[in-house]
Amino acid sequence: MRLLIGQHDLADAARHILPVLDRSDPTRQAVTLDGGETITLTGTGPGGYSQVTLGGDVLEQGQATVNGLWLAAVAGALPDGEITVREDGERLRLDEEGAKATMAVMNGVGPVTLPDLPATVDLGGTLEPLARATVHAASPDPNRPVMTGVHIVGDGTRVTACATDRYRLGVWTGDLPLDGEAIIPAPWLTRVKTMTRLGFDDHWVVASDGTATDATVVIAGEFPDMDRIIPDKTNVEATVRFDRAALTDAIRGLKSLDFTGGVTGILFRRDDTGVTAMLTGADLDGDRHIDANCDGDGDELRLNAQYLLDALGALDGDEAVFYLPAGRKPILIEGSGPVRQVVSRMML
């Protein structure tokens, strides 16, 4: 094998594949550099599969399997320019004008190749809006695997995506040509959110952008029915309309005063011209007035500051509207786009 590859292309490809490798187990850090009709770099591990197609010239066809962490480090350390990559006995050699590096090939390890993956469809953009609306609400608890994912349901033209950790809920609805249902790991979805194509079946979910292809296993299980959790905004006790940027600034400022390291609760109370948001504690307190339009007779409200900031960051538009059902039920927060956020109330 002898290949001519740009240093940036090789370094970027190796970095792209790093998240799927098992950093704790060297036997699961293999990547295969293949020079056939095209040049590809493929890796696999607990994070699934990842493959990148590289530009460059195939001078002699062949392939080599090496440690992906080593390759990323070596390719990133070489100076800018074109690299000649070739097999040199039991080593892979990377030559550039004035620089050289070699690394051992992984003898006894078969080449890494992609499995048979489902077809993908063109999203007409990227996954970023869907991911922004949902992934923050997924649970980090591995003991509740279904809730560590984003549940996507499509009928071929319309898609609803949802994530929840039982205390909050993020929902995005939009036009995407996806057909079927899958629970997709939230960290993986965050990593591929700039991809332009997506597809899934009962086992695999795959994203691609024409150069890179990433795949992981869908989460098995039944996602809970969230429709019953989302408040009916036509039947609420009160509605409060905020400027989203002003509300975000106020909550972020109050949260910065809390040095306890625990959950920061923000109390909302109506005043003459809007709402006063308050941070109260044994050692410190603070408050911010926020202009708002209030309708109805809602009681005081306390919310988790970080949950609220995440919800506000997921919205579109300049406005944030709180819909407050009667009693202790969670509240619905909306902006001007296809995003809904539900946040549980904290004890007053």
Side-chain angles (χ1 to χ4, degrees), residues 68-136:
L69 274 64
W70 293 5
L71 181 62
V74 169
L78 289 171
D80 186 15
E82 286 191 317
I83 302 172
T84 300
V85 182
R86 62 186 176 88
E87 291 176 284
D88 186 3
E90 296 296 309
R91 305 183 74 82
L92 186 70
R93 176 168 172 163
L94 291 77
D95 283 293
E96 193 172 356
E97 186 175 352
K100 179 189 76 173
T102 67
M103 68 186 72
V105 298
M106 298 181 75
N107 289 320
V109 177
V112 182
T113 59
L114 292 181
D116 290 334
L117 297 173
T120 61
V121 295
D122 187 352
L123 303 180
T126 70
L127 286 166
E128 195 280 331
L130 184 154
R132 177 165 52 89
T134 57
V135 294
H136 64 274

Side-chain angles (χ1 to χ4, degrees), residues 34-299:
D34 188 295
E37 295 299 321
T38 59
I39 303 173
T40 60
L41 185 67
T42 309
T44 186
Y49 285 84
S50 185
Q51 182 178 87
V52 180
T53 300
L54 293 86
D57 297 319
V58 179
L59 306 178
E60 295 178 8
Q61 292 191 0
Q63 63 180 204
T65 299
V66 297
N67 185 291
L69 274 64
W70 293 5
L71 181 62
V74 169
L78 289 171
D80 186 15
E82 286 191 317
I83 302 172
T84 300
V85 182
R86 62 186 176 88
E87 291 176 284
D88 186 3
E90 296 296 309
R91 305 183 74 82
L92 186 70
R93 176 168 172 163
L94 291 77
D95 283 293
E96 193 172 356
E97 186 175 352
K100 179 189 76 173
T102 67
M103 68 186 72
V105 298
M106 298 181 75
N107 289 320
V109 177
V112 182
T113 59
L114 292 181
D116 290 334
L117 297 173
T120 61
V121 295
D122 187 352
L123 303 180
T126 70
L127 286 166
E128 195 280 331
L130 184 154
R132 177 165 52 89
T134 57
V135 294
H136 64 274
S139 173
D141 184 359
N143 295 316
R144 307 179 68 87
V146 167
M147 290 189 177
T148 65
V150 176
H151 183 223
I152 294 182
V153 179
D155 62 6
T157 58
R158 191 80 170 161
V159 163
T160 297
C162 174
T164 183
D165 62 2
R166 296 189 303 146
Y167 302 103
R168 53 180 169 169
L169 172 69
V171 182
W172 182 90
T173 304
D175 294 329
L176 290 178
L178 292 170
D179 189 9
E181 179 178 1
I183 305 174
I184 300 174
W188 183 87
L189 189 59
T190 299
R191 191 166 74 83
V192 303
K193 66 183 180 182
T194 61
M195 298 289 197
T196 57
R197 301 183 66 88
L198 187 75
F200 51 76
D201 58 19
D202 292 340
H203 186 73
W204 294 106
V205 56
V206 56
S208 66
D209 63 3
T211 299
T213 298
D214 288 88
T216 194
V217 176
V218 300
I219 299 172
E222 184 175 352
F223 201 80
D225 180 10
M226 292 290 101
D227 288 340
R228 60 187 178 82
I229 303 297
I230 302 174
D232 177 5
K233 65 182 183 182
T234 65
N235 183 28
V236 292
E237 188 176 57
T239 302
V240 187
R241 298 178 180 273
F242 297 94
D243 177 87
R244 183 163 69 102
L247 177 58
T248 300
D249 180 69
I251 302 308
R252 187 177 289 122
L254 289 172
K255 187 175 184 298
S256 70
L257 300 176
D258 187 358
F259 301 105
T260 62
V263 173
T264 302
I266 303 294
L267 177 66
F268 291 85
R269 182 178 294 158
R270 291 191 186 190
D271 57 34
D272 292 339
T273 58
V275 170
T276 298
M278 294 174 281
L279 173 69
T280 59
D283 300 316
L284 56 89
D285 56 41
D287 61 71
R288 293 280 192 96
H289 170 79
I290 310 165
D291 292 335
N293 294 322
C294 305
D295 295 317
D297 300 316
D299 295 330

